Amino acid sequence: MSNIQNLKSFDPFADSGDVETQPTNYIHIRIQQRNGRKTLTTVTGVPEEYDLKKILKVLKKDFACNGNIAKDPEVGSVIQLQGDQRLKVMQFLVKQLGMQKKNIKIHGF
Amino acid sequence: MSAEELGFDPTLKKKKKKVVSEAPSASASPAPEKESLDDLFAGAKKKKKKTKAKKEATDDNDNTDELTESFEGLKLKKKKKKKGSKASESADFEKALAAAGVQEEDSGKLYDERQKETFIPYITLLDRFYDVLREKNPEMAGGQHQKLKIPPPEVARDGNKKTVFVNVQVIAHVLQRNPEHLIQYLFAELGTSGSIDGEKRLVIKGRFQAKNIESVLRRYIQEYVICKTCKSMNTELKRESTNRLHFIVCKACGSTKSVSSIKTGYQAHIGANRRKRV
Ligand SMILES: [Zn+2]
């Protein structure tokens, strides 16, 4: 039992709550090939506080493509869009939703 | 931009340092051999600093440029230089040898003559030093790391729906990586799967062009091959059994850095599977 009060006051390894130090919550934008030349863009890791349905609605209109929201037990809600919309999605996330580019990872070729 | 920003610029600092160290070496160049040898080492340090500063100034862009170079299989810069100075070097070396021989036989007699013969211009000495350094210790030579020659990915179509990545094994070997690790990354990034055929070629589901594969390879190299400290590609990927983390161990500078494991991430269920799964 340590009764030294000084040592208890500050834990240097405690979670500071600083977002900068938690790079785990990336937004991943991926691409998958479907049959033929068709592709599918998936967006995972969008924070829960955003209304995905509203985002999807805007994206579908902006990019003139179809899309839907899938539920995944591991990563939660996923936005799926038809075609390769990766760059456009990233621009949207950065410009319209004010997300930081370094927290977005684009995968694929 | 602003003066403040310039003040913080690390390259500027380096440059200042360089100027300081340059002064003594320039003045001491016609000095006797021992001192000029010291100078050579000073010169080595100096050059290293220079290249380092350059490296720091040009960041990721430079990196990708280097990658491009290695993909195109450009010849090493060093080699060119070597060729030019080779002849003069050997001549100088013979001279030096002869001088040394004379010195051993009769030290006092031919003193004047010897002094005449042993005078080698500073520049030649410097060249010679770098040639030896490059030969024996290429990683140290001027901080310029050895450029790996990565063959461009050879890609062939297998029917309508599959792509064959012919030279995975070769590329994985050049990068000193386990082919399975590279393949795992390719699959994760391309959001697909595949198999290895009888000739150890990689068969990927989906249609991909060589440039697609190449861009994924570039990212693989950035993430899992290049040493973040010295930008060398001469590295090893080691797995620490105690904490199950992967580390890049640099063979050039000895630094280690942990890297994240490859995550496949979310994959949508496409086609026939789609309705069954949900
Ligand atoms: Zn290194």
Side-chain angles (χ1 to χ4, degrees):
Chain A
M1 279 285 182
S2 92
N3 290 319
I4 310 166
Q5 295 298 313
N6 252 352
L7 289 178
K8 282 185 179 173
S9 61
F10 175 66
D11 179 4
F13 298 107
D15 192 348
S16 64
D18 198 346
V19 190
E20 304 262 331
T21 58
Q22 300 174 327
T24 43
N25 36 18
Y26 280 116
I27 295 174
H28 294 277
I29 305 176
R30 292 191 173 82
I31 187 160
Q32 270 178 271
Q33 282 194 350
R34 299 195 297 140
N35 29 356
R37 290 180 55 242
K38 292 181 176 131
T39 50
L40 185 75
T41 305
T42 63
V43 187
T44 60
V46 180
E48 292 293 326
E49 56 261 33
Y50 289 97
D51 188 343
L52 287 192
K53 276 185 188 165
K54 266 188 191 164
I55 294 176
L56 178 70
K57 216 172 183 181
V58 179
L59 290 181
K60 278 163 72 170
K61 202 174 179 206
D62 278 11
F63 307 159
C65 68
N66 204 357
N68 62 299
I69 291 171
K71 295 265 191 277
D72 185 84
E74 264 180 58
V75 292
S77 301
V78 183
I79 299 176
Q80 299 186 350
L81 296 164
Q82 283 178 12
D84 182 3
Q85 318 288 356
R86 289 174 295 163
L87 283 177
K88 284 192 249 174
V89 169
M90 190 191 69
Q91 278 164 4
F92 177 87
L93 293 176
V94 172
K95 278 189 186 150
Q96 309 293 321
L97 301 183
M99 289 178 187
Q100 282 183 298
K101 220 172 184 176
K102 61 171 195 222
N103 292 333
I104 302 173
K105 275 203 168 170
I106 294 188
H107 299 264
F109 34 83
Chain B
M1 280 208 201
S2 72
E4 255 177 56
E5 253 182 64
L6 279 174
F8 281 118
D9 190 359
T11 58
L12 205 70
K13 241 186 191 169
K14 291 258 159 74
K15 262 176 206 157
K16 259 184 209 157
K17 251 189 208 163
K18 201 187 73 203
V19 172
V20 172
S21 65
E22 210 159 29
S25 70
S27 61
S29 51
E33 205 173 51
K34 253 201 177 166
E35 263 183 60
S36 55
L37 252 178
D38 285 342
D39 268 351
L40 286 184
F41 282 110
K45 265 185 205 157
K46 190 180 70 196
K47 261 223 170 136
K48 243 184 213 168
K49 255 180 217 157
K50 206 170 159 189
T51 38
K52 240 190 197 163
K54 241 196 258 165
K55 281 268 159 61
E56 272 165 15
T58 57
D59 54 327
D60 272 327
N61 278 337
D62 176 44
N63 227 337
T64 47
D65 278 358
E66 273 170 43
L67 279 182
T68 323
E69 267 181 49
S70 31
F71 266 114
E72 282 163 3
L74 284 180
K75 276 255 166 175
L76 299 170
K77 253 189 212 161
K78 303 163 201 165
K79 269 193 181 152
K80 247 187 245 160
K81 225 180 174 182
K82 208 173 185 176
K83 251 186 209 164
S85 59
K86 193 110 202 191
S88 65
E89 182 219 358
S90 54
D92 287 331
F93 195 63
E94 270 166 38
K95 240 189 223 172
L97 265 182
V102 170
Q103 197 174 13
E104 269 171 24
E105 279 162 22
D106 30 19
S107 49
K109 207 177 158 192
L110 295 163
Y111 183 77
D112 287 343
E113 220 171 296
R114 203 186 74 218
Q115 213 174 26
K116 247 184 238 165
E117 270 183 68
T118 42
F119 178 74
I120 306 167
Y122 172 67
I123 275 296
T124 356
L125 281 168
L126 195 66
D127 278 350
R128 197 173 80 191
F129 167 73
Y130 270 102
D131 284 337
V132 173
L133 187 65
R134 263 176 228 120
E135 212 169 280
K136 302 260 155 90
N137 222 335
E139 294 289 347
M140 267 170 73
Q144 203 176 32
H145 56 79
Q146 206 164 14
K147 271 180 191 134
L148 277 175
K149 224 171 123 183
I150 304 160
E154 287 170 41
V155 167
R157 183 69 70 66
D158 181 8
N160 204 18
K161 284 184 173 172
K162 285 177 195 162
T163 307
V164 186
F165 182 3
V166 181
N167 54 352
V168 232
Q169 304 288 334
V170 178
I171 288 177
H173 181 77
V174 171
L175 299 174
Q176 304 178 61
R177 287 294 170 276
N178 188 347
E180 268 148 49
H181 187 260
L182 174 60
I183 290 167
Q184 202 191 341
Y185 182 83
L186 284 169
F187 285 165
E189 281 300 296
L190 298 171
T192 182
S193 59
S195 55
I196 296 166
D197 72 2
E199 293 160 62
K200 285 195 166 183
R201 303 178 306 176
L202 179 67
V203 183
I204 311 169
K205 279 183 193 160
R207 292 204 263 180
F208 300 99
Q209 288 171 294
K211 63 178 182 191
N212 298 337
I213 305 286
E214 194 183 306
S215 79
V216 178
L217 273 179
R218 271 169 206 275
R219 256 184 289 149
Y220 178 80
I221 292 166
Q222 291 279 6
E223 221 170 309
Y224 290 102
V225 180
I226 280 188
C227 167
K228 298 286 186 296
T229 311
C230 72
K231 306 253 154 73
S232 166
M233 288 207 259
N234 187 11
T235 59
E236 234 180 319
L237 195 67
K238 276 189 179 159
R239 202 187 119 137
E240 201 103 324
S241 52
T242 49
N243 50 15
R244 295 182 186 174
L245 289 175
H246 285 271
F247 288 90
I248 296 180
V249 181
C250 180
K251 287 181 184 171
C253 74
S255 85
T256 47
K257 187 185 182 293
S258 69
V259 287
S260 57
S261 56
I262 298 167
K263 292 183 200 84
T264 313
Y266 173 77
Q267 281 210 33
H269 308 295
I270 305 169
N273 278 351
R274 188 175 54 191
R275 278 179 195 94
K276 275 183 217 159
R277 291 294 282 263
V278 185

